[in-house]
Amino acid sequence: MDMALTAEIPQGGTRRFVLEMLGFTDAEKNLLSSTFRLTGRRPFAYAEADNAAERTDIYLVNADNPHGLAELKTRSPNVHAPAVFIGRRGTVAEWPVVEKPIHWMRLFEQLDNQMSSALHERAQRQATGWDGRTRRRAADRNLPPPAPAVEARTNESVLVVDDSATVRAFMRNKLAPFRFDVDFAETGEMAIDMAQAKNYTCIFLDILMPGMDGYQVCKRIKSSPATKGAAVVMLSSKSSAFDKFRGSWAGCDAYLGKPVPEDELLATIARFLPSARRVAQSVLARAS
């Protein structure tokens, strides 16, 4: 992202862009919306319009759906309000395409690139003395200008418990873009003490550790009134049905295999964020 373009965003703040999804089913929209809530912790955040008075900043289109492609033509996307497609490459030529299955970080990167270019074009237009209406899309002509940068929301706290420095570095790298308040523990005993002292939204817990193993730590966390509200996601290279049963018996909320797939990690985070939990659970219920 061009640093000059983010200068208008206060440190620790977020610039919100209105995103319109075209050609997706309701279930697909719900899944996308729950994941886009994660971008609220990034310099560029994306969300659907709160009301009809908000203009669309960027379009996300299902390239495999003819109805979605037809809808986009009526919206007249341009350099000031661009589009990103999800689907097969070669379907469209005008805008970037993110292939399925969706790699979330690649999608966020494409959205950021398009909006960085759009902000540059908007700045150039303003520099020429643009009156706010001329050459603007007819649908947007009477709408107010985009909202200014806003302060970032309070970060959720996340605890990563793993004796492997490699895993801790991986998790730090993947969680950093979303501005979570992330702490790390190398042992189960340390994790229990930290969880008692601080409220965590989500705890990523390795199973095989020196001293107390992850199953024991999970049981302790879930049996304590002070910590039972935290979502516990167990991490393990063991993925047999028996191992998953032991995790469920210990009270864990989710189970991820190692190495942790990035998309599964993001989906799991979205599932346990308070702002995304209702939507994510409804999608999971539909899929079952």
Side-chain angles (χ1 to χ4, degrees):
M1 189 185 301
D2 190 333
M3 294 302 294
L5 298 176
T6 60
E8 64 184 272
I9 303 173
Q11 185 173 5
T14 295
R15 175 66 183 269
R16 176 182 177 273
F17 297 106
V18 175
L19 178 143
E20 184 177 359
M21 292 181 277
L22 304 173
F24 297 98
T25 66
D26 288 342
E28 289 171 333
K29 284 184 177 181
N30 283 338
L31 179 59
L32 287 164
S33 294
S34 66
T35 305
F36 281 128
R37 283 178 172 82
L38 291 172
T39 65
R41 294 149 187 84
R42 305 170 69 251
F44 281 13
Y46 303 93
E48 292 185 277
D50 291 329
N51 57 70
E54 290 190 288
R55 71 182 294 274
T56 297
D57 291 302
I58 188 166
Y59 301 95
L60 185 65
V61 188
N62 183 352
D64 302 328
N65 185 306
H67 182 64
L69 298 176
E71 279 190 311
L72 182 66
K73 288 184 178 179
T74 68
R75 304 300 200 274
S76 303
N78 54 45
V79 293
H80 307 294
V84 171
F85 288 81
I86 293 176
R88 295 187 299 272
R89 289 197 179 278
T91 307
V92 292
E94 300 91 340
W95 304 105
V97 180
V98 177
E99 293 189 52
K100 297 177 182 178
I102 300 172
H103 188 293
W104 295 109
M105 294 305 294
R106 190 169 296 127
L107 175 59
F108 295 161
E109 180 182 356
Q110 290 291 355
L111 292 170
D112 290 350
N113 289 341
Q114 291 301 305
M115 284 316 305
S116 291
S117 297
L119 287 180
H120 176 75
E121 293 294 334
R122 293 178 188 180
Q124 293 292 101
R125 186 170 60 179
Q126 294 282 358
T128 63
W130 180 60
D131 62 7
R133 297 181 185 279
T134 307
R135 300 194 307 277
R136 198 174 188 186
R137 295 172 301 175
D140 295 335
R141 200 155 288 148
N142 297 317
L143 293 181
V150 296
E151 290 298 318
R153 291 175 294 178
T154 302
N155 295 344
E156 281 82 8
S157 293
V158 175
L159 176 62
V160 177
V161 188
D162 202 299
D163 62 319
S164 167
T166 300
V167 173
R168 294 197 302 273
F170 170 84
M171 294 293 286
R172 179 184 291 110
N173 180 55
K174 297 307 177 185
L175 295 170
F178 304 105
R179 297 180 183 161
F180 291 116
D181 176 17
V182 185
D183 293 328
F184 297 89
E186 299 181 27
T187 67
E189 291 82 358
M190 183 185 301
I192 291 172
D193 289 342
M194 293 175 69
Q196 289 287 340
K198 182 175 180 178
N199 291 325
Y200 290 102
T201 300
C202 190
I203 299 175
F204 291 93
L205 178 61
D206 185 28
I207 291 179
L208 299 177
M209 295 182 294
M212 296 179 67
D213 66 22
Y215 299 120
Q216 294 172 300
V217 175
C218 184
K219 287 182 68 175
R220 290 277 296 272
I221 289 173
K222 287 298 186 179
S223 63
S224 170
T227 58
K228 66 180 182 180
V232 176
V233 179
M234 303 199 83
L235 307 176
S236 178
S237 55
K238 296 183 177 182
S239 58
S240 70
F242 177 70
D243 294 310
K244 293 180 179 180
F245 171 77
R246 286 190 67 188
S248 297
W249 181 75
C252 80
D253 299 274
Y255 192 105
L256 291 178
K258 290 183 180 180
V260 181
E262 184 175 47
D263 290 357
E264 290 186 25
L265 173 61
L266 294 181
T268 299
I269 295 169
R271 179 183 171 189
F272 294 114
L273 287 174
S275 59
R277 187 172 297 154
R278 181 183 60 80
V279 173
Q281 287 179 342
S282 68
V283 173
L284 291 171
R286 270 196 205 96
S288 61

